[in-house]
Amino acid sequence: MGRSRGRPLRALLAAAGAAALVLGAAQPASAAPRVTLAVAAPTSGSTVHDTTELRFTGTNLATVRVYRLAHLVATATVTADGTAATSQVDTTAFRDGPVVLSALAWGRGSLLPRASATLLVRVGNATADQHPAGYKLVYGDEFAGRALDRDKWCTRYMYDGGTESAAEQAKIDPSCLGRDPVTGTTLGTLDTLGGNGTAPGQEAQVYRDVNAGGKRMHTVQDGYLSLHATATRLDQPYLKYESAMIRSKREFLPTVSHPLYLTTRVRLPDVLGSWPAFWLAGGYGDGHVRPPWPPEIDILEAPYNKGGNGADVLWTAVQTYYDHDEFPDGPPQGPVRTTYAHPSFDGNAFHADSSIRVRWIEVAAEWTPTSVCWYLDGLKFACKDYKWVANAGPQDTTPATLLLNLAVGGPWAGADGVDTTKFPMTYDIDHVRVYRK
């Protein structure tokens, strides 16, 4: 899939354009409505990376397909009125440099394409994310296949419990399970933080691999993962939705000599009551303790309601929980002090200049043994002191596992209800990467 070398760009454009036009001209004359197609975005010559959205305008569009060197790379979604189309192209399949893409459009009932458009972009994936100088990639998933990589990810929390039957829990990948060293309880089965369904909890969904209607809740296409959420349990009193999450099998812990930079590129749903997140919690470690809580670092939380949690808000946090009598000098994880704050950071959340939803954004955290700094699209907006240590002390502290999940409802995200008219919804994840200095 690499670009041709040694050929002038004009020659590449001419060859691709000519091929597209020949196909378009092959349609016999008929009384069918005229079909037109034009590229609306990105602009020709612009630099793109990762999963890139192409937007088209036109008339009487029924099908639009995108090709590179005669290879189909994407099929666009066309609006009902046939005047616009969008497609997602995974540019990680191409080498960095100039790439020519050709789009062909069909009208309703036409066997051959009836319009074409050509676009030149420059792929720049080598420096696509904003990791600082001196860091090297040690872990990642580009979601470039056709299914979730189960060698890298689990789809339940690392704790015990859950609403699924014993038969359903028996289907969970054994490598995703742990064991409580004291009670012997099997860990890795918890499918919600919303309780057991008999009382309200933090969330109002259960996590599933396949929902009640048979739909897969993790899908991979065009170089990104989609976590789906569906309103398929509305007959239940509290846990009314089904959704998806992922948890990394690999665990991470920074050292003084080797801090970490953790980053993901995501597209958040624009749905009232949704709560997508990217966060860290204690993993299994060597198995001598159950995963402790705290510590916890929230890199991205995006609850969406009408009470100050709008489309422009990105929440962050570091978690502590302690008994004042047991820890009179403060929690083991603290003291938590803000050491840097962008003017748009209010101490807990960053307020962007515009909506951060339904577009690709890059969120990240630079993590050391004593601090965390948060980033949005390369902009550092907050830093806090924080120690990754369990309440019981360093001896019972485990490395962190990475979690990305799409929660729904609950008292925070669902304070103003859940807009089920926009269901099913998705939380899209273009990549997850961990860098070490």
Side-chain angles (χ1 to χ4, degrees):
M1 299 292 286
R3 67 181 178 93
S4 300
R5 296 183 181 274
R7 297 181 65 188
L9 288 182
R10 271 183 286 182
L12 286 171
L13 279 168
L21 290 172
V22 166
L23 284 172
Q27 175 67 27
S30 71
R34 180 171 178 261
V35 177
T36 65
L37 181 69
V39 179
T43 58
S44 184
S46 60
T47 299
V48 298
H49 61 268
D50 296 298
T51 297
T52 297
E53 183 174 86
L54 306 185
R55 298 197 299 272
F56 303 93
T57 57
T59 55
N60 300 312
L61 301 173
T63 301
V64 176
R65 296 184 178 128
V66 181
Y67 296 83
R68 178 175 184 269
L69 300 178
H71 296 284
L72 179 67
V73 296
T75 299
T77 299
V78 180
T79 57
D81 63 3
T83 63
T86 60
S87 65
Q88 308 293 326
V89 175
D90 179 17
T91 69
T92 61
F94 313 141
R95 293 180 184 176
D96 282 7
V99 170
V100 177
L101 300 174
S102 299
L104 302 179
W106 284 254
R108 296 189 185 281
S110 61
L111 298 178
L112 295 174
R114 308 210 29 221
S116 65
T118 303
L119 172 66
L120 168 68
V121 293
R122 294 184 179 277
V123 175
N125 283 313
T127 57
D129 64 40
Q130 306 291 329
H131 68 276
Y135 281 81
K136 293 184 178 180
L137 185 70
V138 295
Y139 174 86
D141 196 338
E142 302 299 316
F143 304 110
R146 293 297 178 187
L148 179 67
D149 187 345
R150 300 286 176 153
D151 290 333
K152 291 184 177 180
W153 302 102
C154 302
T155 57
R156 301 292 184 273
Y157 287 118
M158 65 291 287
Y159 310 112
D160 55 319
T163 66
E164 293 176 290
S165 67
E168 289 297 319
Q169 291 187 352
K171 299 177 183 177
I172 297 175
D173 178 357
S175 66
C176 289
L177 302 176
R179 187 164 298 277
D180 187 309
V182 176
T183 66
T185 302
T186 297
L187 304 173
T189 61
L190 187 63
D191 59 355
T192 183
L193 294 180
N196 59 11
T198 60
Q202 297 180 49
E203 308 166 349
Q205 86 297 314
V206 293
Y207 294 116
R208 294 288 186 264
D209 290 352
V210 179
N211 74 359
K215 176 182 174 62
R216 291 194 174 276
M217 303 303 279
H218 309 81
T219 60
V220 177
Q221 62 288 303
D222 299 324
Y224 65 94
L225 166 71
S226 293
L227 304 182
H228 298 264
T230 56
T232 38
R233 289 171 54 97
L234 294 179
D235 59 334
Q236 299 297 311
Y238 301 111
L239 298 175
K240 294 179 174 294
Y241 311 96
E242 294 180 286
S243 186
M245 68 164 295
I246 55 174
R247 165 174 61 94
S248 68
K249 291 184 178 180
R250 185 164 169 179
E251 298 174 355
F252 305 90
L253 194 65
T255 65
V256 174
S257 301
H258 299 291
L260 300 175
Y261 186 86
L262 312 103
T263 183
T264 187
R265 185 172 184 251
V266 297
R267 184 167 54 186
L268 309 177
D270 189 20
V271 180
L272 190 72
S274 61
W275 183 2
F278 172 42
W279 53 297
L280 309 176
Y284 294 139
D286 62 7
H288 83 280
V289 296
R290 64 179 286 131
W293 188 91
E296 175 184 328
I297 297 173
D298 301 314
I299 303 173
L300 159 72
E301 289 197 272
Y304 194 9
N305 59 38
K306 299 177 182 178
N309 298 303
D312 62 330
V313 178
L314 185 161
W315 282 80
T316 65
V318 289
Q319 301 290 345
T320 65
Y321 182 84
Y322 67 100
D323 183 301
H324 289 268
D325 293 331
E326 184 178 0
F327 302 113
D329 297 326
Q333 302 82 23
V336 176
R337 287 187 291 252
T338 299
T339 58
Y340 171 77
H342 186 276
S344 296
F345 182 72
D346 65 12
N348 295 298
F350 179 76
H351 299 261
D353 293 336
S354 59
S355 173
I356 60 172
R357 295 177 179 267
V358 200
R359 66 180 178 90
W360 290 110
I361 61 170
E362 188 94 23
V363 293
E366 190 171 19
W367 181 27
T368 80
T370 57
S371 67
V372 186
C373 291
W374 289 268
Y375 297 79
L376 172 62
D377 289 332
L379 172 69
K380 181 168 69 174
F381 63 83
C383 294
K384 291 184 178 182
D385 289 334
Y386 186 72
K387 296 178 182 177
W388 187 265
V389 60
N391 280 354
Q395 73 282 356
D396 287 341
T397 302
T398 64
T401 184
L402 310 181
L403 301 110
L404 295 101
N405 62 286
L406 177 54
V408 182
W412 190 23
D416 299 299
V418 177
D419 185 2
T420 57
T421 66
K422 293 185 177 180
F423 277 56
M425 65 173 167
T426 63
Y427 173 27
D428 299 326
I429 305 161
D430 194 48
H431 61 240
V432 177
R433 299 170 185 159
V434 178
Y435 293 86
R436 186 177 67 181
K437 198 166 188 177

